[in-house]
């Protein structure tokens, strides 16, 4: 067994004070950091996914329905797209960015971020976003490392975490969601989200 940890969208815009905040975002960022510090040796790879929107079309709306359309968030190379400061990145090996020109929820829609790109939050206002060229998809990157099992944590439980876990199962990985290391958009929908995940073959556990 070779296991990877996928940290999904622990970004400023999804934490308190951000454009599309979850209530527990910052708390979960800190909990993930503590978990990784204690258990990083259980994983052969630790990666992070980021929303990274350039022109995602109808994903952004001035009148969002909060299901298929949302207020603008996580614009590429902006401070809102930056990983939250409570998330310790020391053990993160690679970053996968998704949603540049279309809606994207799953980390498996993400592409490997090249090392030379501008750091989030450092782009001058009005400057063009760099074209990163051809990049490696997450599934190919994991396959190269012979990963068989995946744990998923991050934001938001009922959207991008769920989508990532379901795609992991579909791709043939043994998949777990570490529920207490995730933050939902809606606490009211959490039981339904867990049911959906388990019905799809995802194991949902508490680790704290």
């Amino acid at each position: 067994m070779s296991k990877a940890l996928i940290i999904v969208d622990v970004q400023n815009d999804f934490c308190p004070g951000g454009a599309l905040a979850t209530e527990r975002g910052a708390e979960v960022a800190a909990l993930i950091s503590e978990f990784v510090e204690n258990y990083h040796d259980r994983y052969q790879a630790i990666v992070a996914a980021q929303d990274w929107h350039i022109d995602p079309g109808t994903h952004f709306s001035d009148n969002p329905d909060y299901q298929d359309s949302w207020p603008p968030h996580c614009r590429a190379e902006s401070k809102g797209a930056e990983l939250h400061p409570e998330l310790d990145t020391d053990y993160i090996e690679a970053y996968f960015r998704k949603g540049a020109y279309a809606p994207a929820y799953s980390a498996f829609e993400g592409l490997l971020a090249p090392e030379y790109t501008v750091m989030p939050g450092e782009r001058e206002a009005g400057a063009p976003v760099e074209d990163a060229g051809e990049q490696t998809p997450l599934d190919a990157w994991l396959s190269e490392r012979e990963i068989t099992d995946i744990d998923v944590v991050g934001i938001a439980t009922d959207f991008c975490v769920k989508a990532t876990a379901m795609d992991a199962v579909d791709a043939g990985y043994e998949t777990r969601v570490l529920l207490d290391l995730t933050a939902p958009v809606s606490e009211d929908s959490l039981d339904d989200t867990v049911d959906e995940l388990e019905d799809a073959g995802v194991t949902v556990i508490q680790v704290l």
Side-chain angles (χ1 to χ4, degrees):
M1 180 182 73
S2 187
K3 182 178 286 191
L5 178 69
I6 302 177
I7 302 170
V8 178
D9 296 1
V10 183
Q11 296 167 266
N12 287 331
D13 270 347
F14 297 137
C15 296
L20 198 55
T22 58
E23 184 177 344
R24 294 186 60 240
E27 175 191 351
V28 162
L31 290 173
I32 292 170
S33 294
E34 182 179 355
F35 176 82
V36 171
E37 179 63 34
N38 291 333
Y39 301 113
H40 61 89
D41 57 348
R42 296 183 179 182
Y43 297 98
Q44 284 65 54
I46 298 175
V47 304
Q50 292 172 278
D51 258 10
W52 198 253
H53 298 308
I54 297 172
D55 183 9
T58 58
H59 189 60
F60 284 178
S61 173
D62 292 332
N63 299 290
D65 62 16
Y66 295 93
Q67 291 295 322
D68 299 308
S69 60
W70 306 87
H73 59 276
C74 295
R75 294 186 184 275
E77 297 171 4
S78 71
K79 202 71 176 177
E82 188 174 358
L83 296 173
H84 191 274
E86 288 290 339
L87 181 66
D88 186 347
T89 61
D90 285 352
Y91 296 102
I92 296 175
E93 182 177 351
Y95 299 85
F96 291 83
R97 294 170 175 171
K98 57 188 173 68
Y101 297 104
Y105 293 90
S106 169
F108 282 86
E109 298 174 85
L111 300 174
L112 181 64
E115 294 181 1
Y116 64 80
T117 53
V118 175
M119 290 299 292
E122 294 183 3
R123 182 168 65 95
E124 294 182 8
V129 176
E130 294 183 56
D131 181 358
E134 186 175 351
Q135 297 162 273
T136 304
L138 175 59
D139 187 36
W141 191 92
L142 294 170
S143 295
E144 288 173 3
R145 287 152 182 79
E146 300 183 342
I147 298 297
T148 58
D149 292 53
I150 287 174
D151 286 348
V152 185
V153 300
I155 306 171
T157 323
D158 36 354
F159 287 93
C160 294
V161 168
K162 179 176 75 172
T164 298
M166 288 182 167
D167 277 358
V169 169
D170 288 344
Y173 299 96
E174 290 292 327
T175 306
R176 305 189 307 176
V177 166
L178 312 186
L179 190 63
D180 41 359
L181 300 183
T182 71
V185 170
S186 171
E187 291 284 351
D188 293 340
S189 71
L190 195 54
D191 288 345
D192 289 340
T193 298
V194 170
D195 289 343
E196 286 183 68
L197 287 166
E198 292 179 339
D199 287 346
V202 178
T203 300
V204 181
I205 65 168
Q206 305 271 1
V207 294
L208 300 181

